[in-house]
Amino acid sequence: MSRRFKQVDVFTTAPFMGNPLAVILDAEGLSGEQMQAIARWTNLSETTFVLPATDPAADYRVRIFTTAEEFPFAGHPTLGTAHALLEAGLKPKTAGTLVQECGVGLVPVRIGDSGSLAFRAPPATPAALDAGLMPLLLAVLGDEALAADQQPLVVDMGIRWLVVRLGGAADCMAVTFDAATLVDLARRANVDGLAVYGPHPSGGPADYEVRAVCVENGVLIEDPVTGSANACIARVLSGRDYTVRQGTALGRDGRVTVACRDGEPWIGGKAVTIVDGVMRS
């Protein structure tokens, strides 16, 4: 059968400069095994499957798959799916806000001007990295300059990121991650990936530079632009409004905005549709 399909580029206004996402808009009737097979085939970092909501407060339900597993939440799939649904004609129950139902519960997505979208970061409690793992972390980073006053933190948001502040954006860009050591660190710290960030000088392209990496099947993968990692960083930088550039090391130009509203961080950006058609299965 034919199912509506979009491939969108998230956290960018310029095609091919953000983070791609596949969205299956008519996923009802697909089993979890079929969804996983489709996600392996698209071979993107994530593929989302839109289903009818089971919670009356939600506008839709989404399941999020990598090529290997299902995630209860992820950031760029949240914004990308909302963009695809609005473009396909979905009318929110509440003007100006979509409510996504997913593995972590209900996630509101604000609809801003000129196509901008922002999701409220799910709750998370940062916990200090075990001090005994610091040598491993330093080995992963190649002894790049950690910020002297910032403790590396494990932040669980459905996806678990190890969040590390470096001395500056230049330090962030200079890191050459050691994949083998990262595998050991991720296993022992029980995290899905490592997110490093550092401030740009005043007048720079953004307030912070961010890089996010993980290891899949023994291969180091750097994510172009990462909503969940930025949401975890926002929980660490609680109460601040700021901007982020990510993907620079990959030749991308991802842009993320973080706005604090009523004490809660909202992770924002734009998306563009690259492919719009049907998938036959």
Side-chain angles (χ1 to χ4, degrees), residues 101-127:
E101 180 184 352
C102 59
V104 296
L106 300 182
V107 178
V109 180
R110 285 182 173 170
I111 305 167
D113 298 331
S114 305
S116 64
L117 298 166
F119 67 86
R120 187 177 66 202
T125 303

Side-chain angles (χ1 to χ4, degrees), residues 29-54:
L30 288 172
S31 67
E33 290 76 13
Q34 289 171 313
M35 293 180 189
Q36 185 66 79
I38 292 170
R40 282 196 300 269
W41 177 82
T42 66
N43 202 33
L44 297 176
S45 59
E46 282 100 2
T47 299
T48 62
F49 298 84
V50 180
L51 298 159
T54 61

